[in-house]
Amino acid sequence: MTRVLVGYMPDERGDDALALAALVARQGRTPLTVANIYPPGWPTPGPGRVDAEWLGYVKQQARAALDQAAARLGDTTPADAVHYVVHPGRGSGRGLIQVAEKEAARLVVIGSAPRGRPGRIAVGSTADQLLHASPVPVLLAPRGYAAAPPEAFTRLTVAYRPHRGARLEVAAAGRIADWLGVPVRLLTLLLRPPGLGGGPVVADIMRRQREQAARDLAEAAERAAARAGVSAEVAEGVGVDGALRHCDWSPGEILACMSSAEGPLRRVFLGSVSGKIVRVAACPVLVLPGAGPR
């Protein structure tokens, strides 16, 4: 049975990730695995007693963290639908990848690094490891998400760009949307470079790019028409942040972006544009693994 996997630390980022993962599990009617990754023994051999004491201590801390996670979940998620795991790992992201493979996870959920702005996502070491190697989609919670999570997800917006693998990527996003029972919006970001000016030549170039983006989106939406609730939109602005601000976002929105074409096949690999989307989006961001050769 596939599961939703969440990496939990007993702090704000852990609470944000847990709130998001619990909502995914409830809406997708999927069991939840809560994992805490603890450091393994010392990299250089030491006295056996010291190593044993250290491992005992970190395992105790890991179990205490999961006890806190269980208390946070309370009765919002049935106890028999939650599995708690402590796992050693040289890096939380690598450890979560190992747990995801063992648990047949459909999705890995983590929170923002502590330095993130409220309502935004900062990529720390755990996210960096996951966003360059995970074999399953990675869902990131903005900082402070647990303070006021939505009652339900309402839409999956896909940051769309035309390329050879786009059809498979849209299909993968559609399966996530079907799982959660939400409509899909295909969104193309038309990025206007800063300082470009506003003369007639620039206006004509932007108009032609806008028309081409609209045609590409119409074709993509038509191919995806087998599933209900597909819409298409072009958002224009200076940089990724400016373009995203020109869109309507509901409290229950998820924004999906694709892996870089330079990454390994069927692994998440964050490219420059997707990286900017992760950092400026004001909602949870889903990063999908590569779909194959571009």
Side-chain angles (χ1 to χ4, degrees):
M1 178 183 293
T2 59
R3 289 177 169 269
V4 174
L5 170 64
V6 56
Y8 184 78
M9 294 289 290
D11 54 19
E12 181 187 42
R13 59 185 161 172
D15 292 340
D16 292 336
L18 189 64
L20 179 58
L23 180 55
V24 172
R26 288 196 300 272
Q27 192 154 334
R29 298 181 180 180
T30 306
L32 176 65
T33 293
V34 184
N36 179 273
I37 309 301
Y38 66 87
W42 299 107
T44 55
R49 180 178 177 182
V50 174
D51 284 346
E53 288 178 353
W54 166 251
L55 285 175
Y57 171 75
V58 294
K59 287 182 180 179
Q60 182 182 27
Q61 294 296 106
R63 295 189 188 100
L66 295 185
D67 289 342
Q68 180 171 317
R72 293 286 187 189
L73 286 174
D75 58 2
T76 62
T77 304
D80 59 359
V82 187
H83 181 212
Y84 296 94
V85 174
V86 294
H87 182 81
R90 298 192 185 280
S92 297
R94 296 186 185 95
L96 286 172
I97 289 172
Q98 294 168 355
V99 175
E101 292 170 345
K102 290 181 180 179
E103 295 281 311
R106 184 171 187 172
L107 183 72
V108 179
V109 185
I110 59 171
S112 167
R115 68 178 183 276
R117 290 184 296 154
R120 298 294 187 273
I121 297 166
V123 175
S125 59
T126 299
D128 187 65
Q129 291 168 10
L130 283 166
L131 294 175
H132 287 86
S134 176
V136 298
V138 178
L139 181 61
L140 299 106
R143 185 180 175 192
Y145 189 82
E151 293 184 2
F153 298 117
T154 54
R155 183 170 59 186
L156 178 65
T157 289
V158 181
Y160 177 81
R161 58 184 178 85
H163 61 271
R164 286 179 57 191
R167 183 178 300 186
L168 293 176
E169 291 170 343
V170 170
R175 288 192 290 272
I176 297 287
D178 287 341
W179 172 39
L180 298 176
V182 296
V184 170
R185 172 174 63 171
L186 301 180
L187 176 68
T188 289
L189 303 180
L190 193 58
L191 307 182
R192 183 186 181 98
L196 193 60
V201 174
V202 172
D204 183 61
I205 292 173
M206 296 303 296
R207 176 187 58 78
R208 283 183 286 165
Q209 288 185 343
R210 196 178 303 113
E211 291 173 351
Q212 182 61 56
R215 287 193 294 269
D216 291 337
L217 276 175
E219 292 176 4
E222 184 177 355
R223 288 194 298 267
R227 70 178 309 281
V230 178
S231 61
E233 183 177 336
V234 177
E236 182 179 342
V238 177
V240 172
D241 194 9
L244 290 179
R245 282 201 303 266
H246 283 82
C247 301
D248 293 327
W249 300 95
S250 71
E253 196 97 36
I254 297 176
L255 175 58
C257 56
M258 309 302 176
S259 294
S260 167
E262 282 71 43
L265 301 184
R266 298 175 181 86
R267 290 290 188 274
V268 167
F269 191 87
L270 202 65
S272 59
V273 174
S274 293
K276 292 176 182 176
I277 289 173
V278 168
R279 290 172 176 85
V280 304
C283 65
V285 177
L286 174 70
V287 185
L288 298 168
R294 304 301 199 257

